[in-house]
Amino acid sequence: MGEWRVAGRTCLVTGASSGIGQEVARALAERGAHVVMGCRSGARGEAARARITASTGNPHVEVMEVDTASQASLRRFARAFTGQHHELAVLINNAGMWSTTRQLSPEGIELTWATNVLGYFLLTNLLLPTLRASAPARIINVASKLARDLELSDVQFTRRHYSGMTAYAQSKQANRMWTYALERRLAGSGVTTYVVHPGGVNTGIFRKGGGLSGLGAGLYMRLFGKTVQQGADTVVYLATDPRVSSRSGRYWAYRQETPCRFRNEQEEERLWSLCKEMTSGSGA
């Protein structure tokens, strides 16, 4: 399959207009990659792109608009991406959100689940043919140590009392679990998978969610959170280091493989089936 490198190859980062995503995009551009920044706001994305090209001197950085909460937007994006790019070395699913009130996506799905889980799942599956054809290739899903309370029978909080903290935490548990199911499906393909805790990073995601819990979490992150450069470090490491090619399907934190308490093949397959069902609209 050849020695691992990102220089001259295409890397896609979602949620790249700010925070960890922008820093990951900058680091990849610094290493000579052709970076595609998937951004909900084209204007914010272009501003970030200008900063990255100015600081790295790499002109091969582009912005493509996508709303990862919207399955229709993800399908349009995937068609546009594969129409323009015939190779994808690294897919980094980073875009995420937090809300203290229950909101719905354009398809009527609870917004945190739609964005943080189904957005990752659908985009990955839409781009899998390109990733397989580009092998060796890597898929990196940004998760969190704040992971718990996944209830597969009620992921949208139609029965449970809605909690923004629980909605966020269950989405991050789910991202670990379906990544393990994905790894089984990709065995021997040359496409490797990684799921990563970036650390508690002061990116503003909790403040944007509003409410007392969001304000409290935002204050804590301002006081004690890591910088975006520190948060991006393990993501960049997994995207660029040749040594992790043989360590696929693992959960990582601070450049170390970390045990995950959610490993359960039966539950992982149940979650995969649920995500497949929830993204099986026209064009799947």
Side-chain angles (χ1 to χ4, degrees):
M1 294 270 184
E3 185 177 347
W4 180 254
R5 61 179 175 80
V6 295
R9 303 193 70 196
T10 302
C11 301
L12 168 60
V13 186
T14 66
S17 63
S18 63
I20 294 171
Q22 181 179 182
E23 178 57 25
V24 169
R26 186 202 63 76
L28 293 173
E30 193 172 60
R31 288 161 174 78
H34 180 142
V35 181
V36 179
M37 304 170 63
C39 303
R40 186 171 62 175
S41 165
R44 290 183 62 203
E46 286 296 338
R49 184 198 63 77
R51 291 190 291 270
I52 290 169
T53 55
S55 67
T56 65
N58 183 346
H60 302 296
V61 182
E62 63 177 296
V63 173
M64 295 183 70
E65 288 190 40
V66 60
D67 178 1
T68 55
S70 165
Q71 295 185 26
S73 177
L74 286 162
R75 295 182 196 284
R76 288 194 297 271
F77 173 84
R79 287 193 295 269
F81 181 91
T82 54
Q84 298 172 37
H85 301 279
H86 303 297
E87 188 238 19
L88 178 57
V90 182
L91 167 62
I92 299 174
N93 287 306
N94 165 75
M97 58 86 63
W98 151 291
S99 174
T100 55
T101 59
R102 187 179 186 275
Q103 302 180 59
L104 300 180
S105 74
E107 284 78 23
I109 297 168
E110 191 278 315
L111 191 60
T112 303
W113 185 261
T115 306
N116 296 3
V117 181
L118 300 183
Y120 283 28
F121 180 89
L122 179 57
L123 182 60
T124 299
N125 278 281
L126 291 170
L127 295 179
L128 268 184
T130 304
L131 286 157
R132 285 178 179 272
S134 305
R138 295 180 178 181
I139 300 165
I140 301 167
N141 290 330
V142 178
S144 175
K145 185 177 180 181
L146 177 58
R148 53 175 169 78
D149 296 332
L150 174 61
E151 190 169 322
L152 288 173
S153 63
D154 190 31
V155 297
Q156 298 198 67
F157 293 87
T158 56
R159 291 188 291 100
R160 291 181 288 172
H161 171 74
Y162 184 81
S163 159
M165 180 72 76
T166 302
Y168 181 84
Q170 78 158 5
S171 76
K172 295 304 179 180
Q173 178 181 341
N175 280 339
R176 295 193 206 179
M177 291 173 62
W178 77 258
T179 303
Y180 305 143
L182 175 64
E183 167 63 19
R184 287 191 289 275
R185 288 159 171 80
L186 291 174
S189 69
V191 182
T192 51
T193 66
Y194 312 85
V195 61
V196 57
H197 167 57
V201 182
N202 182 23
T203 62
I205 186 173
F206 296 108
R207 294 194 302 276
K208 293 174 185 176
L212 290 176
S213 57
L215 289 172
L219 176 60
Y220 179 87
M221 290 301 177
R222 285 198 299 275
L223 293 173
F224 304 110
K226 296 182 178 296
T227 65
V228 290
Q229 291 79 13
Q230 291 170 321
D233 179 71
T234 303
V235 181
V236 175
Y237 169 72
L238 293 172
T240 60
D241 197 292
R243 293 171 295 181
V244 303
S245 294
S246 62
R247 299 159 76 184
S248 181
R250 318 289 174 84
Y251 171 54
W252 295 75
Y254 312 113
R255 295 196 179 196
Q256 299 293 322
E257 289 182 40
T258 303
C260 178
R261 68 185 188 275
F262 306 118
R263 294 305 305 255
N264 181 309
E265 184 170 337
Q266 184 177 0
E267 292 300 290
E268 292 157 14
E269 291 300 323
R270 282 186 62 205
L271 172 62
W272 182 277
S273 295
L274 175 64
C275 291
K276 185 176 180 180
E277 179 183 349
M278 296 182 78
T279 55
S280 63
S282 175

